[in-house]
Amino acid sequence: EYRKIKDEDNDGGTVSDDIENLRGKGFSGASVSNVPVREQSKWKRKTVVTLALTFLTSSQAILIVWSKRAGKYEYSVTTANFLVETLKCALSLAALARIWKTEGVTEDNRLRTTLDEVIVYPIPAVLYLVKNLLQILKNLNIISTGVLYRIILKKKLSEIQWAAFILLCAGCTTAQLNSRSDHVLQTPLQGWIMAIVMALLSGFAGVYTEAIIKKRPSRNINVQNFWLYIFGMAFNAVAILIQDFDAVVDK
C-alpha cells in the first residue's frame, strides 16, 4: 500500500499536496474544506499507512528481543529467522486466497510463474540471510539505502530527504549508546569492515527488492512476496542444517 501511494505521487498523482513542495508557496493556514475530497482521502490513507508502517517496523526489533528473553530455552537465530519467513509466506498466501475468492485467479495473481521471473528472488533472499545483528555500524544501512536508491532506481532525493536520512541514522546510532559505548571504537578493523559490508548488503537488498517489484507493477504484490519468502525459507533452512542442526534436533 505504501509503494502504491508513492507511485501515485511519482507517476501521475498531484504533487501539490506534498509538504516538501509546499515550502515557500504560501501554504499558511489553508482551510481543509478547500482541499478536494480526493486529496483529503489520499492524505488520510497516507497517514494510516505511515502509522501502520511505523508500528510494524518498530515492533519488529522489540519482538525479536522479547522472543530471546521470554522462553527458557537455548535461542537459535537461524530458527527464528526461518519461522519469520514462514509466517510472512503464510500471510501472503492468506491474502492471495482472499483475492482469489473475490476476484478469481488471473494472470497477475496466479502463483504459477516462469524461470525468468523467479530467478531474481534468490538474490535478495541471500542478502537478507547474511544480514546479521550488527554492532552500532549497522545503522549505515540507512545511508546506503538512500545512495543505492539513487543509483539503482534513478530517483533523485531532495535536500530534505537527505537530511531526514542523516538524522534517522544519527538518531538510531545514539539511541544504542550507553555509558560504555566508547568500547565500540575498540572494535578490530575486520569488524568495522564486516559491519560496513553488511550495512551495504542490507541497503542493496531493500533497493533491489523494490526494483524487482516495480519491474512488473501489475503483478500482485502477494505473489512476489510469496516467492521472495519461499527462497528466504529455503536459505534459512540450509543455515539451520549447517549451524544449528544438532541443537534443533536435540532440543
Side-chain angles (χ1 to χ4, degrees):
E1 186 70 13
Y2 179 76
R3 292 191 188 98
K4 190 186 300 181
I5 293 174
K6 291 297 292 181
D7 288 341
E8 285 177 4
D9 283 344
N10 293 334
D11 298 334
T14 59
V15 296
S16 60
D17 56 345
D18 277 349
I19 293 178
E20 183 184 343
N21 291 315
L22 292 173
R23 285 188 304 164
K25 291 188 178 179
F27 187 77
S28 57
S31 173
V32 176
S33 60
N34 295 331
V35 180
V37 175
R38 181 178 177 275
E39 298 304 318
Q40 291 185 38
S41 175
K42 191 174 181 180
W43 268 104
K44 288 180 181 177
R45 201 156 54 112
K46 279 188 175 183
T47 303
V48 171
V49 171
T50 301
L51 291 175
L53 189 63
T54 303
F55 173 76
L56 290 172
T57 304
S58 59
S59 64
Q60 181 181 11
I62 297 173
L63 291 173
I64 289 174
V65 175
W66 188 25
S67 71
K68 293 180 180 179
R69 298 176 178 177
K72 297 179 179 179
Y73 52 83
E74 186 177 346
Y75 194 82
S76 169
V77 174
T78 55
T79 304
N81 288 337
F82 175 81
L83 292 176
V84 168
E85 296 298 308
T86 303
L87 176 61
K88 291 191 289 186
C89 187
L91 290 174
S92 296
L93 280 177
L96 274 175
R98 182 179 180 183
I99 293 173
W100 292 335
K101 186 176 181 180
T102 56
E103 302 177 9
V105 179
T106 66
E107 183 70 18
D108 288 327
N109 67 26
R110 59 179 174 79
L111 280 181
R112 190 177 60 188
T113 184
T114 62
L115 181 61
D116 289 339
E117 180 183 4
V118 82
I119 198 66
V120 294
Y121 290 106
I123 299 174
V126 169
L127 295 178
Y128 284 125
L129 174 66
V130 298
K131 187 182 71 172
N132 206 341
L133 294 175
L134 300 177
Q135 296 178 353
I136 203 157
L137 283 176
K138 71 179 180 180
N139 297 303
L140 284 175
N141 69 343
I142 299 173
I143 299 297
S144 66
T145 299
V147 175
L148 292 166
Y149 190 77
R150 175 71 179 91
I151 295 173
I152 297 177
L153 295 182
K154 310 297 183 185
K155 296 297 180 69
K156 184 178 180 180
L157 297 176
S158 64
E159 293 178 0
I160 195 172
Q161 287 173 319
W162 278 116
F165 268 115
I166 295 171
L167 287 174
L168 183 59
C169 182
C172 290
T173 300
T174 54
Q176 297 179 52
L177 295 177
N178 53 51
S179 59
R180 299 173 59 85
S181 61
D182 57 316
H183 286 242
V184 174
L185 300 179
Q186 299 178 13
T187 302
L189 177 62
Q190 296 91 329
W192 286 80
I193 295 174
M194 184 60 68
I196 293 173
V197 170
M198 291 293 186
L200 290 173
L201 285 178
S202 176
F204 179 73
V207 176
Y208 187 83
T209 301
E210 184 168 348
I212 292 174
I213 291 173
K214 288 186 173 180
K215 185 178 180 181
R216 187 178 174 184
S218 62
R219 192 75 155 117
N220 188 278
I221 185 67
N222 294 296
V223 175
Q224 301 189 64
N225 283 339
F226 170 82
W227 286 110
L228 177 61
Y229 301 148
I230 282 291
F231 283 105
M233 291 168 58
F235 291 135
N236 277 285
V238 172
I240 291 175
L241 291 175
I242 295 174
Q243 184 173 333
D244 295 326
F245 179 75
D246 292 337
V248 171
V249 171
D250 295 340
K251 302 179 181 182

